Amino acid sequence: MSLRPEEWPEVPELTARVARAAAARGAPPLAMRVRDELGALFADAEFAVAFGRRGRRGWSPGRLAMVTVLQMAENLTDRAAVQRVRFDLSWKYCLGLELEDLGFDASVLSEFRTRVVDHGLEERVLDLLVVALKEKGLAKAGGKQRTDSTHVLAAVRELNRLELAGESVRAALEALSAAAPDWVAQALDVGGWNRRYGRRIDAYWRPPGSQAQRDQLALDYGRDAVALLRAVYHPAAPPWLRQLPAVQTLRQITVQNYLITTDNSGAEVVKRREADKDGLPPGSLRLTSPYDLDARYGGKEDLHWTGYKLHISEVCQPPRPKDEAPPQCRQARPPVPNVITHVATTDATVPDVKLVEPVHHALATLGLLPAEHYLDSGYASAELIVGSLATFGIALVTPLLTGTSRQYRENAGYQREAFAIDWDARRATCPQGATSRFWSPARQKGRDVIVVRFDQADCVPCPVRAICTNASRWGRQLTLRPRPLHELIDANHTAQGYQGWQAKYALRAGVEGTIRQAVAVTGSRRARYRGLGKTHLEHVYSAAALNLIRLDAWWNGQPLDHTRTSHLARLDLTLAA
């Protein structure tokens, strides 16, 4: 498919006249409003690198990007989106199409997404939209922004280790049977393999019974995987079979979950890996499905899922003072809309704290760094608070977690704050008056710390030893951060107790409504596509769609609504007004 970048056509006169006549009453549809306010938002030249210069002329990639954004705004399938292009007046108006234009085939959208991902253009749409809003004064540097994350389920079934082992063999057999049926017929017992892998591996359909039966079935899957891989890698087999993605995936999953050893007699044994004895790969590397190699198994408190994380950053406006707030149940329209400025997608194992610097670098590229960035404790660390202010001039408004020691977990005994620290003398004094004997700088988990330890002779006879420490070989031990970070942490913990800080930090809670909007409107909770690249593309285009929806409401003067307000509570507020 070739591309000759060109300007979007003006809206044809007949299309414009009919569309405006149909929208004469009330506010115009979203697609029409976007074209009138923002014009040809996505230029073809921005996507030129993804298309060749020779070959069949393709549909305008800029307009395909707009179609995809509108598709996300209405949570449509590809076929439904193509139907809108063909029959919806507002979409024809937005795209500048004649009334008789038949649009394009639904497969064009899939090919467009693939080209965009392959050439690293996933974020281009949101960046172009944000830059356009910046030029119109609807987004600017400084001010306040907030970021939060939510879990995203991969577009594959969630498999346990037993199902994963069997389904990986089945996926490889399916790929081999499609690519080289003659070789499969000659090299394998097709009937036997079909009886075991003719239908998908699912514990619901094949309940394995007792633990002994499950263990035996896991070993059977492992032996079959090894046998199939050896057949494919046999010198007589066509070499290109080894390059099939499903075969490579089977090889990786087998290595991650099985060991080949020998017993006392020297016979070969295929053994299932045990986490405590043989070790398993870290979660960031461990495959969870033979069909989506980027999805990972993640957890947060009581929530566990297979898939990804979505991080959303948006502009936020401080609430109006109570004496200026309108009496209605809805908030007044903000001076500028709360624009989503950046989205990031990671696999489910990446901690939130790893995203702060990448988000700031992305916002700096757009010239939209905030003065204050509101984050929850999952994004926070003392190093980031200091580094963000020094590097980007951003003040992180975020609570820092307390310690992880037994005293903090049980909220009892003497916590670190109960000890007096003399930095100049390099010693600590406990509440009972004993002073520390050891002061040792060290590195723990890649961070600089100071280990402070009290002498056992002071701690053993102490009358409050039971609530202070349960160490048997030495006395109480403290782990401190270097002095500047230690003082920053103490100041942060002190500030968190004041109502003024808590009222200021309440602004962060509004991002929960944005996540709810993304889930309810664009279906962001479940990935549409497989792979990190296309899942991120979905999130970027969904964010652009949410921005257009918010802009449409802002242009129409629609005030913001309270989040998590029941119908009964809304009625109560209305009657009170």
Side-chain angles (χ1 to χ4, degrees):
M1 182 179 292
S2 65
L3 170 66
R4 298 171 182 82
E6 56 187 24
E7 298 293 331
W8 282 34
E10 295 294 332
V11 181
E13 181 181 355
L14 181 58
T15 301
R17 186 168 66 251
V18 175
R20 290 187 177 123
R25 294 185 179 181
L30 170 66
M32 291 182 62
R33 193 64 180 263
V34 168
R35 180 62 189 260
D36 288 340
E37 296 286 348
L38 300 177
L41 188 56
F42 309 129
D44 286 352
E46 297 291 339
F47 304 90
V49 68
F51 295 83
R53 296 178 177 272
R54 302 176 63 182
R56 178 174 54 87
R57 187 180 182 87
W59 224 71
S60 162
R63 288 190 280 177
L64 286 175
M66 179 59 74
V67 169
T68 307
V69 171
L70 295 176
Q71 174 188 5
M72 297 298 175
E74 300 187 29
N75 199 12
L76 302 174
T77 64
D78 287 354
R79 291 185 181 278
V82 170
Q83 289 291 87
R84 288 296 180 89
V85 173
R86 185 173 299 173
F87 295 108
D88 194 296
L89 273 175
S90 64
W91 284 42
K92 287 184 178 292
Y93 182 96
C94 179
L95 300 172
L97 300 179
E98 299 284 354
L99 291 180
E100 62 270 18
D101 194 301
L102 299 180
F104 50 88
D105 187 79
S107 63
V108 173
L109 288 175
S110 177
E111 183 179 353
F112 169 73
R113 291 191 297 267
T114 300
R115 287 178 177 271
V116 167
V117 171
D118 289 345
H119 291 81
L121 302 176
E122 300 96 321
E123 299 180 4
R124 188 63 55 87
V125 162
L126 183 59
D127 290 348
L128 290 172
L129 175 57
V130 171
V131 169
L133 297 180
K134 182 180 177 183
E135 293 174 352
K136 290 179 174 291
L138 299 181
K140 59 182 180 179
K144 307 174 189 296
Q145 293 193 36
R146 55 196 176 197
T147 300
D148 202 3
S149 66
T150 188
H151 65 285
V152 177
L153 306 179
V156 292
R157 287 189 300 135
E158 186 166 326
L159 304 174
N160 57 40
R161 284 188 67 194
L162 180 63
E163 293 171 324
L164 174 63
E167 189 65 21
S168 300
V169 177
R170 193 183 79 87
L173 284 170
E174 286 292 296
L176 289 167
S177 299
D182 295 337
W183 177 85
V184 172
Q186 294 177 0
L188 303 178
D189 176 15
V190 175
W193 288 90
N194 184 55
R195 283 191 294 272
R196 295 192 300 276
Y197 300 100
R199 61 187 303 178
R200 77 177 190 177
I201 307 301
D202 193 330
Y204 177 79
W205 294 108
R206 297 180 180 179
S210 66
Q211 182 62 46
Q213 290 175 311
R214 290 195 292 271
D215 292 342
Q216 183 59 47
L217 190 56
L219 292 178
D220 292 340
Y221 289 151
R223 294 189 188 103
D224 286 344
V226 172
L228 182 58
L229 287 170
R230 284 178 173 167
V232 171
Y233 278 82
H234 192 276
W240 60 268
L241 293 181
R242 307 166 194 175
Q243 305 305 318
L244 292 177
V247 172
Q248 291 297 315
T249 300
L250 174 63
R251 181 173 178 271
Q252 187 173 352
I253 291 176
T254 302
V255 170
Q256 290 183 351
N257 290 277
Y258 292 93
L259 287 173
I260 300 177
T261 62
T262 56
D263 59 16
N264 294 332
S265 63
E268 183 180 273
V269 176
V270 177
K271 174 187 174 184
R272 196 183 191 195
R273 285 183 179 270
E274 299 296 336
D276 53 346
K277 297 180 181 179
D278 310 305
L280 290 171
S284 60
L285 300 177
R286 197 182 314 162
L287 299 186
T288 58
S289 169
Y291 306 111
D292 189 340
L293 306 187
D294 295 326
R296 295 293 183 266
Y297 183 77
K300 186 176 182 180
E301 298 179 351
D302 296 332
L303 177 65
H304 300 276
W305 75 99
T306 297
Y308 305 93
K309 275 186 182 180
L310 166 62
H311 302 260
I312 300 178
S313 302
E314 67 171 355
V315 174
C316 54
Q317 311 300 324
R320 298 178 62 176
K322 292 184 178 180
D323 56 350
E324 298 180 11
Q328 294 84 1
C329 64
R330 292 180 174 228
Q331 303 174 13
R333 190 185 83 164
V336 293
N338 290 342
V339 175
I340 297 174
T341 55
H342 183 263
V343 294
T345 309
T346 68
D347 70 65
T349 65
V350 178
D352 292 349
V353 70
K354 298 290 187 181
L355 270 294
V356 176
E357 288 190 10
V359 168
H360 288 169
H361 281 291
L363 294 177
T365 301
L366 295 173
L368 288 175
L369 284 174
E372 294 181 343
H373 196 176
Y374 291 74
L375 305 162
D376 67 20
S377 58
Y379 289 91
S381 74
E383 291 88 350
L384 282 175
I385 292 178
V386 174
S388 296
L389 189 60
T391 305
F392 301 101
I394 301 175
L396 298 187
V397 183
T398 175
L400 289 175
L401 295 176
T402 56
T404 58
S405 66
R406 174 175 62 89
Q407 292 80 7
Y408 284 106
R409 294 195 306 269
E410 299 176 359
N411 194 25
Y414 291 142
Q415 300 173 359
R416 178 179 54 77
E417 289 78 6
F419 294 77
I421 309 298
D422 188 337
W423 294 95
D424 296 327
R426 295 165 62 91
R427 67 169 176 260
T429 303
C430 79
Q432 297 296 313
T435 58
S436 61
R437 298 298 176 88
F438 303 94
W439 179 286
S440 303
R443 292 278 294 178
Q444 293 182 358
K445 298 180 179 179
R447 302 187 304 178
D448 291 326
V449 299
I450 299 170
V451 178
V452 178
R453 188 178 298 166
F454 289 80
D455 195 280
Q456 188 176 17
D458 294 327
C459 291
V460 168
C462 181
V464 295
R465 173 183 172 86
I467 65 172
C468 184
T469 181
N470 55 8
S472 58
R473 296 180 56 189
W474 48 70
R476 175 66 186 269
Q477 178 175 300
L478 301 175
T479 301
L480 309 178
R481 305 305 309 278
R483 185 173 184 176
L485 297 182
H486 180 90
E487 294 175 346
L488 183 148
I489 293 171
D490 282 350
N492 187 283
H493 288 169
T494 301
Q496 291 170 208
Y498 293 120
Q499 291 185 352
W501 188 93
Q502 295 170 2
K504 178 180 180 180
Y505 182 67
L507 184 62
R508 189 214 68 85
V511 74
E512 302 287 351
T514 299
I515 291 176
R516 169 58 184 166
Q517 186 183 26
V519 172
V521 175
T522 66
S524 297
R525 174 71 74 233
R526 293 182 177 274
R528 287 171 172 251
Y529 319 115
R530 296 175 182 174
L532 181 60
K534 284 196 174 181
T535 301
H536 181 50
L537 177 142
E538 175 193 350
H539 293 159
V540 170
Y541 280 71
S542 295
L546 293 179
N547 276 344
L548 295 186
I549 292 172
R550 293 179 172 196
L551 287 166
D552 185 53
W554 188 81
W555 286 324
N556 292 328
Q558 181 178 343
L560 294 177
D561 200 357
H562 289 280
T563 58
R564 298 183 179 179
T565 303
S566 66
H567 292 290
L568 181 61
R570 194 185 309 280
L571 177 60
D572 183 38
L573 290 170
T574 303
L575 294 176

